[in-house]
Amino acid sequence: MGFDRSKFELDSEQRQQLGYQLIDRINAYFSSLTHRPVQQPVELRGQFPPTPQLPELGEDASRVLDSICTDLIDQGFHVPTANYFGLMNPTPTYMAVLAEALVATLNPQLATQARSQLASRLEHETLGWIAQRVGWESENFGGTFTSGGNEANFSGLALGLTHRFPNIIEDGLLGLPAQPVFYASAESHHSLEKSLGLLGLGRKFLHRIPADHRAQISLNTLEAQIQTDRAAGLLPLAVVGTAGTTSSGAIDPLSALADLCARHHLWFHVDAAYAGALIFSNQHRALLAGMERADSITLDPHKWLSMPFAAGVLLTRHPALLESVFGIDTAYLPKSSSGPLPDNFRISAQWSRRMNSLKFWLTLRVHGRVAYEELIDNQLQLAAYLEEKVLATGSYTLATPRALTILNFRARLADDLHLDDEATATLHREIVNQIPADGEHWISTTRVHGKSVLRMMVISYLSRKEHVDALVTKLHAAAHSVALQK
Ligand SMILES: Cc1ncc(COP(=O)(O)O)c(C=O)c1O
């Protein structure tokens, strides 16, 4: 090919040859996903040769590309396979993968409208589609794509704080009349504590409210805690409702939380990072009733909506507030947007900014909302099937009522042996460690109500009954094998 490694500039033939080489690997990988194990058997893992020396002079592109594809695929942990029943990490749609290549190629700088007119418009259009399904009129919302739920939650809490104290962005925390307090369920995501720490408010001022047996926030306790905090001179500021808890998939009573926030004049943020996807299902979106009354919402397309990382979304019913929190001027930034939309750097924590929306835009244009409706229906049915099959083994009991596609089980052996929670957690770890040993599947343990449970979920659009059956067989065998050792 006459390849000059000292130059980044490849000729058309080289670009095409390397591109075809990669797309062939990607295509073969996608074809393998219905039967691919999550990872290598335990004895074959970790055989990747390190490259401790900084490559001073390059090597042949085709050979390096081929070898890194082989290593990453052979030695990889394959979240996209149909056999992955782990955390909220999906199989990416193929259209999204193509969109990612296009975005990297065009490299639009979404910080300003002037350098990304169409790209920014498409991003705004995508946010508009999401807002419509939430039930918001397109003129009355603001929003931004984020790196994920963490950033979106951080931004939502910053909006709530600035809403109550408009000068806080300039003046800092010293002028506050009292210590603000935020509320969320004991089952909510740790990004909320992280956010309060980074906002300078203190992690301990996220008051976690106990959850009931369905892992939903207890409204009476929340109400009582707000009164207690007020009486103690604290300043209740916001409530976060979770739509789809990380451990169990539970949805807090969003309408009741919206009522409570209205009554107490509190900011209402909904962390719908996972279950926000339900807005795309006509049949199931009612499960999110009340979310449309939120002041701000987090929704992650890189969870249930089958997008590759990174794709998070923050939406708010207070568009002007975004500029109050994130707007800034310096000499090298344009003073105002050249079009009807605000510059993205003024409405988000990011400056240089990737186009994280195109993958979702393209997937929706090619497959349409109805494809998501079917995906959600199928996965809810498959999760019900998983529940039925696991219970039928007789080795496990349901630890939390199933809300969506996440399941929490407890090993029956823990009850038979009258184990305390610490011993149960050890038993669950022993079971879970047997599942990934041959590399075929992957599930995890977590705690719900502070108690150890086995956690698994349907997340890949490729998973079918046969994948569930194989997992259940393994779960049954693992319970037996652990029982024999007791
Ligand atoms: C309920 C919930 N909120 C927020 C997050 C954080 O999202 P991300 O990982 O996209 O930052 C997660 C992650 O699993 C989550 O489950």
Side-chain angles (χ1 to χ4, degrees):
M1 268 206 291
F3 194 87
D4 183 352
R5 293 197 295 274
S6 68
K7 293 202 174 78
F8 292 126
E9 195 181 334
L10 309 185
D11 68 29
S12 166
E13 195 187 333
Q14 291 164 337
R15 290 193 299 266
Q16 191 173 50
Q17 193 259 309
L18 292 169
Y20 285 169
Q21 183 182 334
L22 180 62
I23 208 73
D24 283 348
R25 297 299 293 257
I26 291 176
N27 183 32
Y29 181 72
F30 261 86
S31 299
S32 76
L33 289 176
T34 50
H35 51 273
R36 178 174 285 284
V38 175
Q39 54 187 331
Q40 294 266 36
V42 72
E43 61 280 7
L44 296 180
R45 282 177 217 157
Q47 296 183 356
F48 181 67
T51 318
Q53 288 295 330
L54 170 75
E56 199 64 37
L57 299 171
E59 293 169 51
D60 178 70
S62 174
R63 201 151 31 79
V64 176
L65 189 59
D66 190 59
S67 114
I68 194 60
C69 283
T70 302
D71 289 339
L72 278 173
I73 293 173
D74 286 357
Q75 293 291 327
F77 185 101
H78 298 290
V79 159
T81 156
N83 290 310
Y84 180 72
F85 291 91
L87 303 177
M88 297 162 170
N89 316 139
T91 307
T93 69
Y94 192 67
M95 295 318 298
V97 172
L98 296 184
E100 291 289 75
L102 186 56
V103 167
T105 304
L106 300 174
N107 205 20
Q109 165 53 300
L110 264 78
T112 59
Q113 296 288 333
R115 290 175 297 157
S116 66
Q117 292 94 340
L118 180 56
S120 278
R121 211 202 70 204
L122 292 178
E123 182 139 326
H124 194 73
E125 193 167 285
T126 316
L127 290 168
W129 293 342
I130 300 171
Q132 274 169 34
R133 293 298 298 184
V134 167
W136 290 351
E137 293 300 325
S138 43
E139 314 79 62
N140 294 334
F141 83 95
T144 179
F145 267 77
T146 65
S147 59
N150 216 349
E151 183 193 334
N153 278 343
F154 174 83
S155 304
L157 301 192
L159 289 180
L161 186 60
T162 312
H163 184 250
R164 178 69 75 91
F165 299 112
N167 295 330
I168 198 163
I169 295 293
E170 284 305 320
D171 297 347
L173 304 175
L174 281 180
L176 294 193
Q179 168 68 48
V181 188
F182 290 60
Y183 301 87
S185 103
E187 296 296 326
S188 62
H189 194 255
H190 66 257
S191 52
L192 302 175
E193 263 109 359
K194 213 185 215 183
S195 300
L196 288 191
L198 293 175
L199 286 167
L201 295 177
R203 290 182 177 188
K204 66 181 183 193
F205 292 103
L206 179 73
H207 284 185
R208 284 181 172 268
I209 305 299
D212 65 16
H213 74 286
R214 286 160 305 174
Q216 297 174 325
I217 193 166
S218 154
L219 288 166
N220 290 340
T221 317
L222 172 60
E223 186 93 46
Q225 187 66 49
I226 291 171
Q227 317 274 9
T228 307
D229 289 346
R230 264 209 188 108
L234 299 172
L235 200 156
L237 197 142
V239 173
V240 179
T242 304
T245 57
T246 315
S247 290
S248 312
I251 302 177
D252 283 336
L254 301 176
S255 282
L257 286 179
D259 290 342
L260 180 144
C261 286
R263 230 174 21 253
H264 289 280
H265 307 290
L266 304 179
W267 183 265
F268 183 31
H269 177 76
V270 174
D271 178 358
Y274 156 57
L278 289 168
I279 57 172
F280 290 102
S281 162
N282 286 345
Q283 200 189 332
H284 298 290
R285 68 196 288 197
L287 291 169
L288 300 174
M291 185 167 84
E292 73 287 351
R293 293 167 64 199
D295 295 294
S296 52
I297 297 173
T298 289
L299 195 159
D300 271 1
H302 68 202
K303 292 191 165 64
W304 205 353
L305 293 170
S306 303
M307 290 297 108
F309 306 117
V313 162
L314 170 77
L315 290 177
T316 177
R317 278 196 291 129
H318 308 265
L321 203 52
L322 285 169
E323 288 222 42
S324 310
V325 176
F326 298 112
I328 196 155
D329 290 321
T330 76
Y332 53 85
L333 304 181
K335 288 288 165 266
S336 65
S337 154
S338 44
L341 297 173
D343 280 325
N344 286 313
F345 79 87
R346 296 190 155 277
I347 57 168
S348 100
Q350 300 177 34
W351 162 237
S352 290
R353 186 186 161 100
R354 193 170 191 278
M355 188 184 189
N356 279 333
S357 51
L358 187 67
K359 50 197 163 200
F360 193 41
W361 185 93
L362 194 64
T363 300
L364 277 167
R365 281 297 302 271
V366 170
H367 297 283
R369 179 198 64 78
V370 174
Y372 279 115
E373 170 118 38
E374 285 172 13
L375 170 77
I376 287 163
D377 289 351
N378 287 341
Q379 292 195 330
L380 287 170
Q381 282 171 30
L382 197 59
Y385 178 76
L386 173 59
E387 174 181 343
E388 185 191 311
K389 286 292 203 183
V390 173
L391 294 181
T393 64
S395 303
Y396 301 94
T397 54
L398 200 59
T400 320
R402 183 179 62 79
L404 300 169
T405 67
I406 302 178
L407 287 142
N408 298 153
F409 293 108
R410 176 177 166 83
R412 199 176 275 277
L413 190 60
D415 296 323
D416 293 347
L417 299 176
H418 306 290
L419 300 183
D420 64 14
D421 189 56
E422 209 173 309
T424 303
T426 308
L427 177 77
H428 285 161
R429 267 195 303 278
E430 283 165 11
I431 292 174
V432 153
N433 287 343
Q434 294 209 8
I435 305 294
D438 67 4
E440 287 285 333
H441 299 91
W442 194 87
I443 61 167
S444 64
T445 59
T446 183
R447 286 186 177 276
V448 179
H449 308 303
K451 294 213 164 70
S452 171
V453 297
L454 297 164
R455 179 194 181 284
M456 54 205 87
M457 77 182 290
V458 175
I459 185 70
S460 169
Y461 61 79
L462 297 171
S463 298
R464 303 275 181 275
K465 282 185 173 174
E466 65 260 27
H467 302 105
V468 166
D469 289 342
L471 172 67
V472 173
T473 305
K474 207 162 286 173
L475 273 166
H476 194 35
H480 265 283
S481 138
V482 169
L484 287 177
Q485 293 158 21
K486 297 289 162 194

